[in-house]
Amino acid sequence: MTEVPEVLGVPEVPEATGDGDASRWSRAEAFLRARGTAEMPHPGGTLLEHLGRVRRLLADWGGDPAIQAAGLCHAAYGTDGFDPYLLPVAERATLAELIGDRAEALVYLYASCDRGTVLPRIGRDRPVVFRDRFTGREHIPTDDDLRAFLEITAADELDVLAHNEELAERYGPALYRLLAGAGDLLSAPAQDACARQLGPHAALPDH
C-alpha cells in the first residue's frame, strides 16, 4: 500500500546569541567527543573536525543556530551515504535535549533521507516528496525544512570534496547538477560557494 505523503514541519526555536551559543557548541562538542568522533578518520582529518567545519560553513552562509547545530550533529544517526552512527534513532530524545527540538528534527530529516529516491526529485518536483529510509514512509517537508536540508547537504559535501580530490573528481559533476538544480532553495552564499568549488566540474562527465 502506498503511503499518502504528509506535510511535516519541525518546531521553531528562538535564536540564541552570545554566551548561549558558546555553551551550546561546548556541550555539543563534548557529546561528539564522547561518541568517539575525534578518533574516526574522515576526509580532512577526523569526523569531529569535519563536523566543526560544516557548522562554520553554515554560520558563514548565515544559517541560524538550529541549522548550525544540525550541521554539527548531522552524522548522529548516520546517513544514507555514511553508515556509522553515534546513537540510534531510538534515542532521539537524547540529542533533542542537547541541541533543541528543531535542530534534532533537522538532523533526523538529513539522516533519514533515502537519497537514491529523493535527490533526483530536487529541482524537478515541487513539492519534493521525501522517503524516510528508516520507516519507508513518504512525507513532504516544509519549504524551510527543505532549504535547511539542502544547506546542510551543500556544506557537508563541499567539505568532503574539498579534502579528497578523488571524490571530487568522481562525484563533483553530479553534485554540481544537484545543487545548481536546487536554485533558490539554496541561500545566495551557498550558491556562490557551490559555483566556486564545483564550477570546474560542471562540464565533466560522471565517473
Side-chain angles (χ1 to χ4, degrees), residues 149-174:
F149 170 85
L150 286 167
E151 292 283 303
I152 296 168
T153 297
D156 180 16
E157 300 294 351
L158 289 183
D159 183 72
V160 170
L161 269 55
H163 292 90
N164 189 307
E165 184 59 33
E166 180 182 352
L167 292 178
E169 291 181 2
R170 184 184 307 171
Y171 298 114

Side-chain angles (χ1 to χ4, degrees), residues 5-202:
E6 56 182 319
V7 178
L8 296 182
V10 294
E12 296 292 338
V13 294
E15 182 169 337
T17 57
D19 292 342
D21 278 349
S23 176
R24 176 201 299 259
W25 309 137
S26 178
R27 292 195 307 272
E29 182 175 333
F31 164 80
L32 294 170
R33 285 185 179 278
R35 298 287 171 154
T37 57
E39 288 76 46
M40 294 182 184
H42 196 279
T46 66
L47 178 58
L48 181 62
E49 291 170 324
H50 165 68
L51 297 173
R53 291 192 300 265
V54 168
R55 186 195 75 77
R56 289 191 293 274
L57 265 180
L58 292 166
D60 289 345
W61 296 346
D64 66 32
I67 292 177
Q68 292 180 48
L72 182 64
C73 297
H74 73 265
Y77 309 130
T79 71
D80 201 7
F82 186 74
D83 290 335
Y85 59 85
L86 308 182
L87 75 169
V89 293
E91 297 180 17
R92 290 183 62 183
T94 299
L95 188 61
E97 183 176 358
L98 179 70
I99 64 174
D101 289 343
R102 173 168 168 74
E104 187 282 328
L106 291 175
V107 172
Y108 182 85
L109 181 68
Y110 192 75
S112 65
C113 176
D114 180 339
R115 295 188 179 196
T117 298
V118 175
L119 296 189
R121 297 171 176 171
I122 304 293
R124 185 192 71 190
D125 301 345
R126 291 295 290 270
V128 178
V129 178
F130 267 54
R131 183 179 186 277
D132 186 319
R133 69 187 180 97
F134 297 128
T135 68
R137 296 186 65 192
E138 292 197 330
H139 63 94
I140 299 172
T142 66
D143 279 353
D144 283 348
D145 297 348
L146 179 58
R147 292 176 190 278
F149 170 85
L150 286 167
E151 292 283 303
I152 296 168
T153 297
D156 180 16
E157 300 294 351
L158 289 183
D159 183 72
V160 170
L161 269 55
H163 292 90
N164 189 307
E165 184 59 33
E166 180 182 352
L167 292 178
E169 291 181 2
R170 184 184 307 171
Y171 298 114
L175 183 62
Y176 176 83
R177 289 194 296 273
L178 168 69
L179 297 176
D184 62 4
L185 288 171
L186 274 179
S187 66
Q191 291 181 49
D192 290 344
C194 292
R196 285 195 306 272
Q197 184 173 331
L198 300 176
H201 298 283

